[in-house]
């Protein structure tokens, strides 16, 4: 495999709700995902994340695994309802203390903490007050960012305000498949704008407490039109604006793509300067391209989603298309030129079963080869984080898809490193 630059940060990623468990301990408040899991029919398997991987109690064991793996960085998220149980007002000292101890233990192990402040677990009280459809949530988020930043920025270098706002807007507010379960179609789009605003305000809040390096973690897919017809190309442009550029353009250029302006709150323009607060890095979560075609007769939407065919599928149904990573990084270079900060691949991974997971090894090998090509073509990529360290709670699919380098037995909570864990360890050993 191609060599990666000196100082390249190799890591693993997780998120609070997917691994922590202990949802009713340590003064944690209720999140929208607790409520969603408790609503019959929302999680396909009927499961919840009350225990998950029990990382809240077993984080020392998980850090020992990361030490054995040899990663330089660990990207995890802070659960807002652990720190501020109702999303505003008093801080829960025990909750903030948990992350303080986690960061200390990581630093002691020589692993750089990469903190995501929000990975979809909105405090339920804030959702009841309007959630991401309310501008106020962005202001509450900035306060929360300052609280966490103030406590941890002396030891945490890398900060990411929000994870994948596109996924929450789409699945949580437009389609109702994720918490908070609203199915508003295009009326969900203000949620994207207020998450963008929350991002920008949090960047400034983090700067004010001397956070060193601040970025993002947006989920991106190259959009593949079904044909080269003018109608399919136009549909793909529209979907690209909604799925990708609606987040990157305001963050990096201080404007929205013209296709999405019709969906935004009337006063959106007042927020653009705040959203475009300068970033130190741009985080890309890459899983797959998205197919698209012009809408068929009677479809009022501006595009139709199409499955990508002709590629192997993960157990989660995602097509495996490593070159899509190289392709998207090229699109970022072309679109943003010198406005594009250095990039980190903040998530990349796949669901496959079993501890002898040769498919995952192949997947990682192929994605790293594609990443190497992107570097050769001129992308400035500074790190790669495998999703995920552990098998974990995959949202509305429950525990069925297994994304971990480490297998988790959900009855005993025993951790067993998979073959891919040893493969990654050997790769990192060679990279050191
Ligand atoms: O598990 C998710 C994660 O929470 C966000 N990015 C995609 C992963 C795999 O689906």
């Amino acid at each position: 495999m191609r060599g990666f630059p000196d100082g390249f940060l190799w890591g693993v990623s997780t998120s609070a709700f997917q691994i922590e468990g202990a949802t009713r301990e340590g003064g944690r408040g209720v999140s929208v995902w607790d409520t969603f899991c408790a609503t019959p029919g929302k999680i396909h398997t009927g499961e919840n994340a009350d225990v998950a991987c029990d990382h809240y109690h077993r984080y020392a064991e998980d850090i020992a695994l990361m030490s054995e793996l040899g990663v330089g960085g660990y990207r995890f998220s802070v659960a807002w309802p652990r720190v501020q149980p109702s999303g505003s007002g008093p801080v829960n000292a025990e909750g903030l203390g948990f992350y303080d101890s986690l960061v200390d233990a990581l630093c002691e192990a020589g692993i750089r903490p990469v903190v995501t402040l929000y990975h979809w677990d909105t405090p339920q009280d804030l959702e009841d007050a309007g959630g991401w459809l309310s501008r106020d949530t962005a202001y509450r988020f900035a306060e929360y960012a300052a609280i966490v930043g103030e406590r941890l920025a002396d030891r945490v270098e890398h900060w990411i305000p929000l994870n994948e706002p596109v996924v929450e807007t789409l699945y949580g507010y437009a389609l109702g498949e994720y918490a908070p379960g609203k199915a508003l179609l295009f009326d969900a789009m203000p949620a994207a704008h207020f998450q963008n605003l929350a991002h920008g305000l949090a960047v400034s809040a983090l700067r004010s407490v001397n956070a060193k390096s601040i970025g993002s973690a947006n989920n991106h897919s190259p959009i593949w039109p079904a044909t080269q017809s003018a109608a399919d190309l136009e549909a793909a442009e529209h979907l690209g604006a909604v799925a990708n550029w609606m987040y990157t353009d305001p963050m990096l250029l201080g404007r929205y793509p013209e296709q999405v302006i019709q969906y935004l709150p009337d006063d959106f323009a007042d927020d653009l300067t705040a959203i475009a607060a300068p970033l130190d890095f741009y985080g890309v979560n890459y899983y797959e391209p998205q197919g698209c075609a012009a809408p068929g007769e009677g479809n009022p939407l501006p595009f139709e989603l199409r499955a990508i065919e002709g590629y192997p599928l993960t157990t989660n149904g995602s097509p495996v298309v490593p070159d899509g990573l190289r392709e998207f990084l090229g699109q970022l270079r072309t679109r943003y030129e010198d406005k594009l900060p250095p990039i980190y691949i903040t998530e990349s991974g796949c669901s496959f079963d079993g501890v002898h997971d040769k498919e995952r090894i192949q997947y990682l090998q192929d994605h790293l080869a594609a990443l190497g090509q992107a570097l050769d073509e001129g992308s400035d990529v500074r790190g790669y984080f495998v999703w995920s360290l552990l098998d974990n709670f995959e949202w509305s699919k429950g525990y069925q898809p297994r994304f971990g380098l480490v297998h988790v037995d959900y009855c005993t909570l025993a951790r067993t490193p998979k073959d891919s864990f040893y493969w990654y360890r050997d790769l990192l050993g060679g990279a050191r």
Side-chain angles (χ1 to χ4, degrees):
M1 191 184 303
R2 177 199 195 282
F4 283 81
D6 283 350
F8 193 84
L9 188 57
W10 296 98
V12 283
S13 268
T14 64
S15 89
F17 192 75
Q18 293 177 273
I19 64 166
E20 278 181 8
T23 52
R24 292 186 194 83
E25 284 180 54
R28 177 185 177 280
V30 176
S31 82
V32 290
W33 271 95
D34 299 306
T35 309
F36 197 69
C37 290
T39 311
K42 296 298 184 191
I43 307 303
H44 305 180
T45 54
E47 293 161 319
N48 62 46
D50 287 355
V51 176
C53 306
D54 197 31
H55 172 78
Y56 185 76
H57 297 113
R58 295 168 197 246
Y59 71 88
E61 182 182 348
D62 294 335
I63 292 175
L65 280 165
M66 286 186 260
S67 293
E68 187 184 348
L69 189 55
V71 285
Y74 173 46
R75 172 178 174 240
F76 63 93
S77 79
V78 173
W80 192 350
R82 250 189 224 295
V83 172
Q84 275 185 306
S86 47
S88 59
V91 171
N92 171 36
E94 201 174 340
L96 192 51
F98 168 70
Y99 297 106
D100 198 65
S101 306
L102 177 63
V103 163
D104 274 348
L106 286 164
C107 293
E108 222 162 277
I111 298 168
R112 280 201 242 172
V114 175
V115 172
T116 306
L117 287 170
Y118 175 78
H119 197 121
W120 309 343
D121 39 5
T122 312
Q124 184 63 49
D125 287 350
L126 275 191
E127 181 56 41
D128 295 343
W132 289 111
L133 295 170
S134 163
R135 159 178 294 279
D136 196 55
T137 301
Y139 300 130
R140 299 291 79 77
F141 185 73
E143 289 165 8
Y144 156 70
I147 291 166
V148 181
E150 191 144 25
R151 181 68 170 264
L152 304 182
D154 57 337
R155 285 152 292 156
V156 173
E157 183 179 336
H158 292 89
W159 292 86
I160 295 167
L162 292 98
N163 179 74
E164 299 179 356
V166 63
V167 175
E168 195 173 36
T169 300
L170 182 64
Y171 289 100
Y173 286 90
L175 300 175
E177 290 174 19
Y178 281 11
K182 298 202 188 310
L184 304 172
L185 298 177
F186 278 93
D187 288 342
M189 297 304 255
H193 176 70
F194 292 131
Q195 290 200 327
N196 283 339
L197 177 60
H199 159 88
L201 295 174
V203 172
S204 302
L206 288 167
R207 295 263 179 243
S208 71
V209 295
N210 298 321
K212 289 182 200 71
S213 179
I214 310 174
S216 61
N218 284 336
N219 181 291
H220 287 299
S221 295
I223 307 297
W224 287 5
T227 71
Q228 292 301 305
S229 74
D232 283 351
L233 288 173
E234 192 185 326
E237 280 285 314
H238 201 113
L239 176 58
V242 169
N244 292 315
W245 316 128
M246 182 165 190
Y247 302 89
T248 41
D249 280 8
M251 283 180 196
L252 300 179
L253 303 177
R255 61 171 184 256
Y256 277 104
E258 65 180 38
Q259 291 93 336
V260 306
I261 287 175
Q262 57 184 314
Y263 308 127
L264 297 173
D266 292 342
D267 53 358
F268 79 89
D270 300 344
D271 301 324
L272 289 173
T273 308
I275 296 173
L279 294 181
D280 303 293
F281 67 93
Y282 188 84
V284 172
N285 295 358
Y286 171 73
Y287 289 90
E288 63 203 288
Q290 175 61 56
C292 174
E297 283 258 323
N299 180 350
L301 301 180
F303 48 75
E304 243 171 49
L305 301 183
R306 289 283 169 86
I308 299 282
E309 281 169 4
Y311 292 86
L313 299 178
T314 67
T315 59
N316 203 23
S318 294
V320 178
V321 189
D323 193 57
L325 176 58
R326 184 200 61 78
E327 181 185 344
F328 188 77
L329 292 174
Q331 291 180 5
L332 282 178
R333 285 198 314 276
T334 309
R335 192 171 180 98
Y336 299 109
E337 298 179 328
D338 60 349
K339 299 280 189 302
L340 184 65
I343 289 174
Y344 285 82
I345 306 303
T346 34
E347 286 183 25
S348 167
C350 54
S351 64
F352 285 109
D353 292 337
V355 292
H356 299 301
D357 54 343
K358 58 181 184 325
E359 303 92 337
R360 180 172 287 101
I361 294 174
Q362 190 66 53
Y363 183 102
L364 295 174
Q365 228 161 16
D366 293 347
H367 282 72
L368 287 171
L371 185 59
Q373 281 177 25
L375 289 169
D376 289 340
E377 290 170 8
S379 288
D380 178 7
V381 183
R382 306 274 174 97
Y384 180 86
F385 288 71
V386 174
W387 184 272
S388 180
L389 172 67
L390 304 170
D391 289 339
N392 59 51
F393 182 75
E394 179 60 18
W395 309 110
S396 53
K397 290 186 177 157
Y399 295 98
Q400 235 158 39
R402 288 183 174 270
F403 277 89
L405 295 174
V406 175
H407 177 273
V408 177
D409 177 326
Y410 292 115
C411 294
T412 63
L413 296 168
R415 276 83 162 131
T416 307
K418 302 180 188 177
D419 290 354
S420 58
F421 175 97
Y422 296 112
W423 176 84
Y424 197 44
R425 180 197 64 181
D426 292 348
L427 176 84
L428 270 44
R432 274 200 298 264

